[in-house]
Amino acid sequence: MSPSKAKPEEARNVRRVGHSGINGWGDAFQVIVRDNKWCYVAASGMEGHEGTSVLDVEDPKNPKVVHQIPAPTGTHSHKVLFLDDVMIVNAEQIRGWEGEGFVGGLRLFDASDPARPKPIKAFPMPGRGVHRPILDEKNRMLYCSCGAPGYRGNILWILDIDDPANPKVVSQFALEGQKEGTPLPPGVKTLQFHQANRRGDYLYAGCADWGVVVLDVKDPARPRQIAHFNPTPPYPGHCHTVLPVPETDLLVVTHESTSFDVSEPPGFIFIYDAKLPSNPVPISTWMPYPVDPKTLYPKEGDWTTRGGRYGAHNVWEFMGPRDFVYTTWFNAGLRIVDISDPFRPGEVGYYVPAGINGKATPQSNDVFVDGRGLVYVSDRWGCGLDIVEYTGPR
C-alpha cells in the first residue's frame, strides 16, 4: 500500500509523547524499560532486522538510539529480559533459513553498563531454539518454550537462573500428544507451549490450539498438570498469553490472531476465575468492537480490510493488581481495558498509530508501561516505537 493510503492516527484518552524509527530497526517485538531511562527493543525481523536496540528515553519526547546489537546469522532474537544486570535474549532459528552455524537457545549479556550490554556467552538449547522465555524474578527461574528431540512443537523448559549468567535446566514438560508417534488431540492443528506465567505454586500456560493448561510446580523438577481448559471450538484457537493478575484469582488470557488477511475470526481477551487453580473458568470476554455472535467478526469498522492482522496479541506482563490491562491489537493498535469489574471489562482508551513507511496501518505488537506511567508500543512491520501517555480517568 502506498503512503498516500495510510490511515491517520486514532486515539481516545491517549496522546503520543514521542516516537523512534529505531535507526531503521523499527520492526520490533518485545520492549523492556529500566530505570525510566533505558529502553531495550528486540527486533522481529519482519523487515530484516533480528537484533536488540538500546534507546535512551529519559526525555521521552526525544528517544535516542545509543547502541544496536545484531543477532548471529540465521538467528531471530525477538525477546529481551533482565535479571539483575544480565540481559537475556532468545535465539530462535529464522523460518526457512538453512545455513550452518545456527545455535538456538539463549544469549546472555553483561548490562552493568546499561547503554552497551556486552556478550557473556550463549546457552545452547535444541531444535529451532527458544521462542518465548518468561521471567519469574521471585523464584529466579525462566520458563521457556523450546523444542526437544522426539517431540512435536515447543515443550516447556524450566531453567534455574539464580545465577543469571549461568542457567541450569531444572526440568522439561510436554503435553499429551506432543511426543512424536502419538496422535494429536482431535481438532488440534498446533499443539505446543507458547508461554507460562507463575502465581504461587502454579504455572499458567498458553498452549496454542490446546488452550489453557495449569501445572503444579511446588517441585519445579517435577511439574504436574492439574488443569486444562480449552474454549476452542467454538472460539478461535492460538491461545497465546495466560497472565495471572497479582493479588487476585483472575487470569487475563489472549488468543492470538495469526491470519494476515483476517481469514479466520480474530482472537480476543478472556477473563478467567482461577480461585481453584485446578478448575479455571472463563467469566467474561472482551473485544474493542461488538462482534457478530455467529461469525465472531467485528460488526463495525473496516478492521478486517485495512491490511495486516486484526485481533489480540501481547499484554503488559508486569501489571499490578489495580492496573489496567494494556494489550496490543495489531492494526487496531493499543487498547487499554479496565477489569476492576471482571464480569464487565470496559475499554478506557486506545491509540492506533498512523500508517508510515509505506504501511497503511500499524501492526502493534508489544507493550510496556514504565514507572512514570508512559506506555511503549512496538510495531512488528517497520513502523517503529511509539511512546504514549494515558490521559483518561482512573
Side-chain angles (χ1 to χ4, degrees), residues 141-220:
M141 290 186 173
L142 202 65
Y143 309 115
C144 298
S145 58
C146 182
Y151 292 88
R152 58 164 73 99
N154 288 342
I155 69 169
L156 171 70
W157 292 66
I158 299 180
L159 305 184
D160 179 338
I161 54 169
D162 188 49
D163 177 358
N166 292 286
K168 299 176 182 177
V169 177
V170 175
S171 61
Q172 303 169 351
F173 185 89
L175 301 166
E176 183 179 352
Q178 281 197 277
K179 191 171 181 61
E180 291 179 357
T182 59
L184 284 170
V188 172
K189 295 179 181 178
T190 305
L191 180 65
Q192 63 178 1
F193 276 87
H194 180 262
Q195 61 75 246
N197 283 289
R198 185 167 177 171
R199 177 167 61 200
D201 292 327
Y202 304 101
L203 206 57
Y204 298 86
C207 298
D209 294 341
W210 197 230
V212 176
V213 168
V214 184
L215 303 180
D216 183 325
V217 289
K218 293 186 184 72
D219 180 357

Side-chain angles (χ1 to χ4, degrees), residues 78-323:
H78 63 312
K79 301 295 190 293
V80 56
L81 296 166
F82 282 85
L83 183 60
D84 302 335
D85 284 327
V86 174
M87 184 174 80
I88 304 166
V89 304
N90 69 321
E92 183 179 37
Q93 189 175 56
I94 297 172
R95 292 189 182 277
W97 189 82
E98 297 180 352
E100 297 180 356
F102 167 77
V103 178
L106 302 170
R107 296 162 56 227
L108 307 168
F109 294 79
D110 177 355
S112 53
D113 177 355
R116 298 190 71 85
K118 297 179 180 178
I120 299 173
K121 65 180 180 182
F123 182 77
M125 295 174 72
R128 295 187 60 242
V130 171
H131 177 71
R132 182 88 186 197
I134 296 292
L135 177 65
D136 175 1
E137 187 171 2
K138 178 180 178 181
N139 295 290
R140 298 181 75 84
M141 290 186 173
L142 202 65
Y143 309 115
C144 298
S145 58
C146 182
Y151 292 88
R152 58 164 73 99
N154 288 342
I155 69 169
L156 171 70
W157 292 66
I158 299 180
L159 305 184
D160 179 338
I161 54 169
D162 188 49
D163 177 358
N166 292 286
K168 299 176 182 177
V169 177
V170 175
S171 61
Q172 303 169 351
F173 185 89
L175 301 166
E176 183 179 352
Q178 281 197 277
K179 191 171 181 61
E180 291 179 357
T182 59
L184 284 170
V188 172
K189 295 179 181 178
T190 305
L191 180 65
Q192 63 178 1
F193 276 87
H194 180 262
Q195 61 75 246
N197 283 289
R198 185 167 177 171
R199 177 167 61 200
D201 292 327
Y202 304 101
L203 206 57
Y204 298 86
C207 298
D209 294 341
W210 197 230
V212 176
V213 168
V214 184
L215 303 180
D216 183 325
V217 289
K218 293 186 184 72
D219 180 357
R222 295 175 178 80
R224 179 174 61 90
Q225 182 174 321
I226 62 167
H228 168 234
F229 188 93
N230 190 11
T232 306
Y235 295 107
H238 310 294
C239 185
H240 183 277
T241 296
V242 182
L243 179 65
V245 180
E247 299 180 25
T248 76
D249 297 318
L250 302 175
L251 306 174
V252 174
V253 179
T254 64
H255 283 228
E256 180 182 7
S257 293
T258 60
S259 59
F260 280 85
D261 57 356
V262 199
S263 58
E264 60 185 6
F268 48 90
I269 289 176
F270 289 82
I271 306 298
Y272 280 65
D273 183 336
K275 186 174 184 178
L276 291 177
S278 60
N279 186 33
V281 177
I283 58 174
S284 62
T285 61
W286 184 84
M287 283 191 77
Y289 301 96
V291 299
D292 183 320
K294 294 181 179 179
T295 67
L296 299 181
Y297 281 89
K299 291 195 295 185
E300 58 186 69
D302 61 350
W303 306 104
T304 62
T305 59
R306 286 188 175 200
R309 303 188 196 186
Y310 166 80
H313 193 213
N314 282 316
V315 296
W316 176 42
E317 293 187 347
F318 301 93
M319 69 178 295
R322 288 165 290 281
D323 285 322

